[in-house]
Amino acid sequence: MFASWLYVSISRLEPDQAMDEVERIVAISRPRNRDLDVTGALLFTGERFVQLLEGPADGVDALQQSIFRDARHEQVTTIRSDNVDDRQFLGWSLAYSGPSRLVSKVVSDGITESLKDPRTGSEILVSLLHKFSPLD
């Protein structure tokens, strides 16, 4: 059994520095996630973050607390937090394929739906995370 946490947040990054900063976040997060045995995926639209983290409860909790304290995020909103039997991003300490500004509207629609109906909306967001994660 694994803990799973799907959240969305608003980026507080300055637009002209956002891409470099997200690359730094990914570079730091990948080894940290491996150390915690956490896998997952990140989507960044330029305005919002969408991330799914999965793994041992203590590892996911440590990352969750870190994200809630991180000044680069505001309005961190949990879409889904539960226990799962299988990981969706096995093999990825953090799947991230770069900025996804072109899907910003789709992500925004998924977030809006998630806030109305977490089950349906979380399925939309997880599907997007899969589609925009780099292939092995």
Side-chain angles (χ1 to χ4, degrees):
M1 185 72 64
F2 300 101
S4 176
W5 181 51
L6 175 66
Y7 76 89
V8 297
S9 68
I10 296 173
S11 170
R12 296 191 73 207
L13 300 175
E14 294 295 326
D16 60 333
Q17 300 171 357
M19 301 323 301
D20 289 339
E21 188 61 27
V22 172
E23 292 296 333
R24 278 191 288 278
I25 290 169
V26 171
I28 291 167
S29 296
R30 284 180 172 156
R32 182 176 183 202
N33 289 5
R34 272 192 295 276
D35 290 345
L36 294 170
D37 191 30
V38 171
T39 57
L42 174 69
L43 229 169
F44 179 64
T45 70
E47 298 171 356
R48 292 185 176 264
F49 292 96
V50 177
Q51 186 169 18
L52 175 72
L53 296 169
E54 53 196 10
D58 58 341
V60 171
D61 185 57
L63 293 173
Q64 184 179 36
Q65 296 311 310
S66 177
I67 290 165
F68 278 121
R69 290 188 307 267
D70 192 327
R72 296 170 292 196
H73 297 269
E74 68 180 13
Q75 296 182 26
V76 177
T77 303
T78 297
I79 301 299
R80 187 180 75 210
S81 181
D82 52 12
N83 292 315
V84 296
D85 292 326
D86 300 306
R87 296 181 194 232
Q88 295 191 46
F89 292 93
L90 186 63
W92 287 104
S93 59
L94 183 61
Y96 176 71
S97 64
S100 300
R101 289 187 177 153
L102 296 176
V103 297
S104 183
K105 177 159 182 3
V106 176
V107 171
S108 294
D109 291 348
I111 291 167
T112 300
E113 182 64 29
S114 294
L115 297 174
K116 287 192 261 180
D117 179 0
R119 178 176 293 277
T120 302
S122 68
E123 290 171 7
I124 292 168
L125 294 175
V126 171
S127 174
L128 286 170
L129 287 165
H130 278 286
K131 288 177 183 173
F132 289 96
S133 295
L135 300 174
D136 290 339

